[in-house]
Amino acid sequence: MDGHQPADRSERGHRSVPHTADLRVEAWAPTAEGCIGELVRGVVGGFADLSGARIVGERACTVLAVSDPDLLAGVLEEVIYRMDADGELPAALALGPVHGLDGARSIEVRFRMADTATAALVGAVPKAVSLEGLELGEGPGGWTCAATVDV
């Protein structure tokens, strides 16, 4: 990321970063799970306002990956898949702890989904997660992550 480090381990947030023809979001939080959640909120908020959207239910999934950045990509890919396949976007999400076993990483994700048709689009809709510049790591001030989505 471009040098933002949380002031202390309790700070969390996200921001969009200028990026040519794509949406780039950076996030930070005290935990890996919190960081992933902030990034998802930042990506969704970069193209949709869900404040007036109709809630249609909850969805749960387990994301598996070989590394922390791939785990982040997997969660974002699930968001894009749900939007394309079901016409739903996460209005809220809860993430279980990141688990690791034999070089694999996993995380349980529960989404509270909103109907995309009832959301206000405020930007270009993402099509895919770019594997270039994908980051998720722990530093002295907490966890930081970044991702670019193709729009």
Side-chain angles (χ1 to χ4, degrees):
M1 290 189 359
D2 68 3
H4 176 81
Q5 288 293 318
D8 63 49
R9 295 187 75 81
S10 65
E11 184 183 346
R12 65 175 43 225
H14 61 266
R15 66 178 171 196
S16 294
V17 180
H19 196 273
T20 306
D22 293 319
L23 173 63
R24 175 108 177 135
V25 177
E26 298 176 346
W28 54 94
T31 64
E33 300 83 6
C35 197
I36 293 170
E38 280 299 317
L39 194 95
V40 169
R41 284 185 276 281
V43 168
V44 172
F47 71 93
D49 177 359
L50 301 179
S51 61
R54 182 173 54 88
I55 302 301
V56 294
E58 291 192 4
R59 308 283 183 255
C61 67
T62 300
V63 176
L64 303 172
V66 296
S67 69
D68 286 339
D70 288 342
L71 195 63
L72 175 63
V75 173
L76 288 174
E77 287 167 353
E78 182 69 19
V79 169
I80 293 169
Y81 169 77
R82 294 283 177 180
M83 182 182 60
D84 288 343
D86 302 326
E88 300 174 353
L89 283 169
L93 71 156
L95 295 106
V98 174
H99 294 287
L101 179 63
D102 296 330
R105 310 291 279 156
S106 69
I107 191 167
E108 299 286 330
V109 185
R110 178 168 293 283
F111 297 107
R112 185 166 186 239
M113 303 304 282
D115 181 354
T116 304
T118 63
L121 294 181
V122 296
V125 176
K127 304 294 182 209
V129 178
S130 173
L131 299 180
E132 187 173 321
L134 195 59
E135 303 171 25
L136 175 62
E138 186 175 21
W143 284 78
T144 58
C145 59
T148 302
V149 291
D150 302 328
V151 295

